[in-house]
Amino acid sequence: FNTEQFGQHILKNPQVAQSIVEKANLKPTDIVLEVGPGTGNLTIKILEQAKHVTAVEMDPRMAAELTKRVQGKPEQRKLDIIIGDFVKADLPYFDVCISNTPYQISSPLIFRLLSHRPLPRVCILMFQREFALRLVAKSGSTLWSRLSANVQLYAKVDYLMHVGKNNFRPPPKVESSVVRVAPRDPPPPVRFEEFDGLGRILFSRRNKTIHGNFMAKGVIPMLEKNWRTYCSETNQMVEDDVDMKAKVEKILEETGNTENRAAKMDVDDLLKLLYAFHEVGIHFA
Ligand code: SAM
């Protein structure tokens, strides 16, 4: 294990740790998941307020240090430590997730939390500044991206605070930010792969027109292939010489999106376009 590979930058400023935990508005009945507790600077504060904490830590030496820290104290009974990789670990039920994890697992972390069932009430997460800013970006802004759309499809994301590098030991190379991710419950009734599949096309050049992106190499043949699969799965007859390009152009025209750009479309605009394609059997996954 080494500092860089596992992103072991310990949060040494107790005020910052305290305010991160306070942002979760924990109730005494809450069951909390913490990812990458390290030596437990956040864990100790979470244990003061929650009913139970499960902490997933990959480095056994860190886990041992955390175990030692609660040993013989009343908090010991409230803490379970899973030693292993969060990405592969079986997760227990939790109401809230609080985490300051290495930034290499930012994407898997957020998507795993959003696909967990039942959905957590809220997640308070520390990320590299640039990643956090993309999570909260609004359509029309320069940072609005496929990541922003995919996360905002499932959650309301708010920027909470800036945490400078000197609050960590050793200080990382990058600046950090804390965000609140509140999952939409129930989640919108759309398959992630479909929404993301449309996003892949539209955001491949976010400032290009939607029409232009659909005409990029390989897109129309891919949609035709998906369409044939969909038709055969739903027992529909298909013509041999279908004009997929014309079908796509008709939808873009009817929904007023031909000259639109992903850079300006919000989650609702994207969903409306996706549903219009689905109505005629065109799928993105
Ligand atoms: N949360 C502590 C704090 O704020 O002081 C430690 C933060 S440190 C940035 C990240 C921690 O996550 C380290 O203890 C590291 O060993 C652990 N870690 C790294 N990759 C992990 C993974 N895939 N699953 C679980 N823990 C991981």
Side-chain angles (χ1 to χ4, degrees), residues 6-11 36-38 56-59 84-86 100 102:
F6 292 95
Q8 289 174 333
H9 301 280
I10 299 302
L11 184 60
V56 186
E57 172 57 61
M58 201 162 173
D59 183 345
D85 182 351
F86 164 77
N100 168 27

Side-chain angles (χ1 to χ4, degrees), residues 125-230:
L125 311 171
M126 174 116 73
F127 292 118
Q128 180 171 340
R129 174 84 33 85
E130 290 75 10
F131 187 88
L133 291 175
R134 285 203 289 142
L135 292 184
V136 301
K138 295 277 169 277
S139 66
S141 75
T142 49
L143 291 173
W144 174 247
S145 61
R146 192 173 131 222
L147 174 71
S148 327
N150 282 345
V151 171
Q152 290 174 31
L153 171 68
Y154 291 117
K156 186 174 174 294
V157 192
D158 294 303
Y159 189 92
L160 295 180
M161 64 177 126
H162 177 115
V163 184
K165 6 177 138 163
N166 291 325
N167 293 294
F168 301 90
R169 197 183 340 254
K173 292 197 187 76
V174 298
E175 298 289 323
S176 304
S177 297
V178 180
V179 299
R180 180 196 297 112
V181 177
R184 299 182 199 281
D185 201 359
V190 56
R191 261 181 72 212
F192 175 72
E193 292 74 14
E194 286 287 336
F195 186 82
D196 184 50
L198 175 65
R200 267 174 209 275
I201 297 169
L202 301 194
F203 284 100
S204 71
R205 302 257 187 96
R206 62 194 278 287
N207 285 313
K208 204 163 144 179
T209 63
I210 301 287
H211 181 268
N213 278 327
F214 270 98
M215 294 309 130
K217 194 166 185 285
V219 174
I220 296 292
M222 186 263 293
L223 294 179
E224 182 171 338
K225 190 166 158 262
N226 290 352
W227 180 75
R228 289 192 186 280
T229 309
Y230 174 78

Side-chain angles (χ1 to χ4, degrees), residues 88-132:
K88 296 175 196 147
D90 283 331
L91 300 181
Y93 171 89
F94 57 98
D95 301 293
V96 174
C97 175
I98 299 178
S99 120
N100 168 27
T101 9
Y103 301 149
Q104 293 93 310
I105 66 164
S106 299
S107 259
L109 171 70
I110 196 156
F111 288 110
R112 183 146 198 222
L113 294 174
L114 292 175
S115 59
H116 190 78
R117 296 293 180 271
L119 277 162
R121 181 172 81 240
V122 72
C123 305
I124 307 294
L125 311 171
M126 174 116 73
F127 292 118
Q128 180 171 340
R129 174 84 33 85
E130 290 75 10
F131 187 88

